[in-house]
Amino acid sequence: MDKADVLILGSGGAALQLAGKLDAEKNVIIITKSFMDHGNTSLAQGGIAAAIDEKDNSLFHFMDTMTAGRFVNNHQAALQLTIEGPAVIRELIKSGCAFDHDAFGKLTLGKEGAHSLNRIVHGGGDQTGKILMNCLKTVLPPNVKVMEHHFAFELLINVSGHCYGVRTKDKQGNVQTFHASHIVLATGGCGQIYSCTSNAETATGDGMALAYFAGAELADMEYMQFHPTLLYINDEGKGLISEAVRGAGGILVDEKERRVMKNVHPLLDLAPRHVVSQTIFKQRQQGHEIFLDIRGIEHFTKKFPFIAKLCMSEGIDVSEGFIPVAPGCHFSMGGVKTDTVGRTTIKGLYAIGEVACTGVHGANRLASNSLLEGLVFAKTLAHHLNTTAPYSHKDDGIHKKNLPSDYTLPVRTHLQKRMMDKVGIFRDIDNLEAQQKWLESFSLNRWHTFDIGMLTTEQITTLFMLQTAWLVTNSAIQREESRGGHYRLDFPAERMDWRNQQVIQKRIDEKRKLHEPVKT
Ligand code: SIN
């Protein structure tokens, strides 16, 4: 059994920022299920939003964040994000992060959907995530040990309900136990529960399912952001085409070169993401093909080298000026409920980055606020853990039941396709309930009682996707209105009586009622 002061699950931007800011005398272990940089952060093209321009102000950034979030954001979290953003960018620059500058040595600031000003910092054109990861990896101190290919499949919870450790499986299937004073979920999102997604293969909702099985509260799971422009070929999403392309002048058109966003929203192609995604989805349903017309962007390949390469690898010649696009699942605004420090409802367990839900994004995340979220809240949590005495949570030696022989799990592609069709951009009660029934046919209310370490990591991943899909579906059933990333055809408007209600889910012991959603 290994011991640490702080155990971090996941190895994206939030995880590395936290690890790098913890005191040097702390014994820190990062556990990650794949290679260190095989997560969503490395794929991030868009950039990091922060009010660093002299014409800008954190309050403008705050207002844009609230407007995109349809005003249900946690105000304190949104203020923390936008006020602390500029300092985080300055720290990264100081530690050598190679953000893009203009010919006069000034930071280049891009514009993306629903931002009132240019405030997006990029690296390598469209390779901000990669640049950020390289920087954070380089400055990792020696007290941080990274264990790749360790899949965390169980959070250890004692009879007092405190989290004191984790069980993992390595590549060979060996089970290992880790104990720690503080366990931090930084496992990222769950885009892979949908068949069309911009997310990395590793984004399978692991942290959300782990926390739910452990008895933590999750919030806002119905709010799912669909990015308007994934490269779309032969009915498959092939990767993200950054909103920065529209920021640089790219225009959405149909097969007859008619502008798609004309008369839909005053911000046209840079309208909030849910508006653009819904519009493209409807147009595609009516049989239109949608393209990003990039003919107006000079030096496209130089500005967007990663996207140009991606298109080329899929047989699209960007010099012809049209990229076929469709919306796909991009970001989960919901997650494991935390306060603005990162504490979950389980003592000893914390969450940061996309797996967490501070409420900072409300019903829809503003573009380029996600890397910022990871960086800002990881820094806050580091400060908290650096000033908190180590705590030894008791191990009561609770053991789970052996896995029964009659379990079944879905075929993953079937699960993903069903989520896209029934819990996608447009939702209604019939599809949601059909999906809920189907998901529950896999005995979801029993799994947390079994020792799932007996399954392969592939099977556990499918189970985690199934559980996370259920959380999204069940929350979407609860919210009887449309807001941000949640659109109900049967409740198509925002409703005042829902404005102050958050859908919170928590597993309730089998002696009580299972899966009972709680509205606050
Ligand atoms: C994008 O580049 O369009 C995505 C950036 C983001 O989601 O913030």
Side-chain angles (χ1 to χ4, degrees):
M1 192 251 298
D2 280 72
K3 273 191 161 188
D5 295 315
V6 183
L7 203 57
I8 305 172
L9 309 185
S11 57
L16 301 193
Q17 166 87 335
L18 170 64
K21 293 211 177 283
L22 287 167
D23 285 343
E25 65 272 15
K26 286 206 189 296
N27 166 8
V28 181
I29 303 181
I30 290 180
I31 291 175
T32 189
K33 70 176 176 180
S34 179
F35 289 104
M36 212 173 159
D37 44 15
H38 276 197
N40 272 348
T41 303
S42 301
L43 291 183
Q45 299 172 8
I48 313 175
I52 37 185
D53 194 69
E54 61 266 24
K55 291 192 285 303
D56 204 353
N57 184 310
S58 292
L59 276 183
F60 299 155
H61 186 188
F62 169 79
M63 275 317 294
D64 291 345
T65 300
M66 297 294 296
T67 308
R70 300 307 306 145
F71 309 103
V72 292
N73 318 52
N74 175 329
H75 290 205
Q76 195 194 330
L79 278 173
Q80 194 169 322
L81 180 85
T82 50
I83 290 173
E84 291 179 19
V88 159
I89 300 289
R90 282 194 289 272
E91 283 166 19
L92 284 169
I93 293 171
K94 212 165 153 197
S95 57
C97 204
F99 292 129
D100 297 340
H101 287 75
D102 65 17
F104 306 100
K106 211 170 162 242
L107 264 185
T108 318
L109 297 175
K111 191 160 190 295
E112 285 173 13
H115 282 275
S116 53
L117 284 159
N118 284 45
R119 62 165 75 95
I120 321 287
V121 177
H122 288 96
D126 54 4
Q127 300 172 85
T128 313
K130 198 169 147 201
I131 300 279
L132 176 68
M133 283 296 284
N134 285 344
C135 169
L136 292 173
K137 274 198 298 190
T138 311
V139 297
L140 267 191
N143 61 313
V144 179
K145 178 173 166 188
V146 181
M147 301 186 72
E148 293 182 319
H149 302 292
H150 277 258
F151 183 84
F153 65 87
E154 185 185 346
L155 295 172
L156 298 169
I157 308 291
N158 65 19
V159 280
S160 315
H162 298 170
C163 185
Y164 64 91
V166 167
R167 290 210 299 155
T168 67
K169 280 190 111 158
D170 65 16
K171 244 182 168 174
Q172 287 72 39
N174 301 314
V175 172
Q176 211 165 318
T177 303
F178 295 82
H179 285 187
S181 288
H182 310 286
I183 290 119
V184 184
L185 297 170
T187 47
C190 61
Q192 284 292 336
I193 64 173
Y194 287 90
S195 53
C196 186
T197 179
S198 62
N199 283 199
E201 273 178 21
T202 48
T204 48
D206 303 353
M208 293 155 182
L210 279 168
Y212 185 75
F213 283 142
E217 285 184 4
L218 286 99
D220 290 350
M221 292 294 288
E222 68 277 26
Y223 294 135
M224 192 62 77
Q225 183 176 89
F226 286 81
H227 195 288
T229 56
L230 263 58
L231 174 61
Y232 201 73
I233 296 168
N234 297 334
D235 289 336
E236 275 180 34
K238 300 287 186 188
L240 187 71
I241 306 294
S242 175
E243 195 157 287
V245 173
R246 277 173 284 137
I251 291 166
L252 288 160
V253 295
D254 69 8
E255 68 287 348
K256 292 205 166 124
E257 295 184 32
R258 287 178 295 221
R259 281 193 78 160
V260 170
M261 293 305 295
K262 199 174 157 199
N263 301 328
V264 176
H265 193 281
L267 290 173
L268 297 168
D269 299 89
L270 288 176
R273 281 190 187 162
H274 62 286
V275 178
V276 186
S277 291
Q278 287 164 8
T279 309
I280 298 179
F281 187 85
K282 273 195 216 148
Q283 292 259 344
R284 287 184 49 80
Q285 267 186 331
Q286 289 160 13
H288 295 291
E289 283 182 273
I290 308 299
F291 300 87
L292 252 177
D293 176 351
I294 54 170
R295 289 174 299 176
I297 306 177
E298 275 179 26
H299 312 300
F300 183 86
T301 305
K302 192 158 172 254
K303 282 185 187 144
F304 301 105
F306 179 83
I307 294 173
K309 214 164 134 197
L310 171 71
C311 287
M312 197 161 58
S313 71
E314 297 295 339
I316 302 293
D317 179 357
V318 291
S319 69
E320 289 179 9
F322 294 94
I323 303 175
V325 291
C329 178
H330 185 55
F331 187 85
S332 168
M333 274 66 75
V336 183
K337 188 170 165 54
T338 69
D339 61 13
T340 50
V341 169
R343 289 176 286 221
T344 71
T345 53
I346 291 183
K347 193 160 182 196
L349 183 68
Y350 307 80
I352 46 173
E354 190 173 344
V355 67
C357 178
T358 54
V360 67
H361 305 301
N364 206 5
R365 176 178 62 82
L366 183 68
S368 287
N369 265 357
S370 60
L371 291 178
L372 183 68
E373 174 195 12
L375 294 164
V376 165
F377 289 96
K379 185 178 165 189
T380 308
L381 181 59
H383 177 72
H384 171 74
L385 297 181
N386 285 338
T387 50
T388 303
Y391 186 82
S392 181
H393 302 285
K394 209 164 146 237
D395 168 6
D396 304 305
I398 300 177
H399 292 294
K400 297 207 168 185
K401 290 190 275 188
N402 279 348
L403 201 64
S405 55
D406 64 344
Y407 71 84
T408 50
L409 286 168
V411 174
R412 214 183 277 183
T413 47
H414 193 195
L415 168 74
Q416 292 166 320
K417 169 101 180 45
R418 283 191 66 108
M419 284 303 287
M420 203 73 206
D421 292 345
K422 300 195 180 304
V423 198
I425 294 178
F426 291 106
R427 301 159 176 187
D428 64 49
I429 195 64
D430 292 342
N431 277 311
L432 291 172
E433 282 185 350
Q435 180 67 346
Q436 184 188 46
K437 197 162 161 224
W438 182 78
L439 294 166
E440 288 179 356
S441 71
F442 296 97
S443 307
L444 271 174
N445 57 358
R446 297 194 303 162
W447 281 100
H448 70 281
T449 63
F450 300 137
D451 180 1
I452 58 171
M454 294 175 174
L455 299 173
T456 64
T457 51
E458 281 300 300
Q459 289 172 314
I460 301 171
T461 304
T462 304
L463 172 63
F464 285 176
M465 289 168 72
L466 180 73
Q467 182 61 68
T468 308
W470 181 87
L471 286 162
V472 175
T473 307
N474 204 36
S475 295
I477 289 175
Q478 303 305 308
R479 183 167 288 280
E480 295 185 332
E481 68 159 350
S482 292
R483 192 180 287 275
H486 170 64
Y487 193 90
R488 285 276 300 257
L489 288 163
D490 42 353
F491 295 98
E494 287 182 2
R495 280 175 49 183
M496 271 315 281
D497 56 337
W498 269 98
R499 187 167 163 153
N500 297 319
Q501 293 195 66
Q502 193 173 32
V503 179
I504 295 186
Q505 302 199 71
K506 179 181 185 320
R507 184 181 60 70
I508 301 186
D509 272 343
E510 55 272 38
K511 289 187 202 110
R512 291 156 64 200
K513 204 169 161 226
L514 278 160
H515 296 322
E516 190 179 85
V518 184
K519 281 185 200 165
T520 56

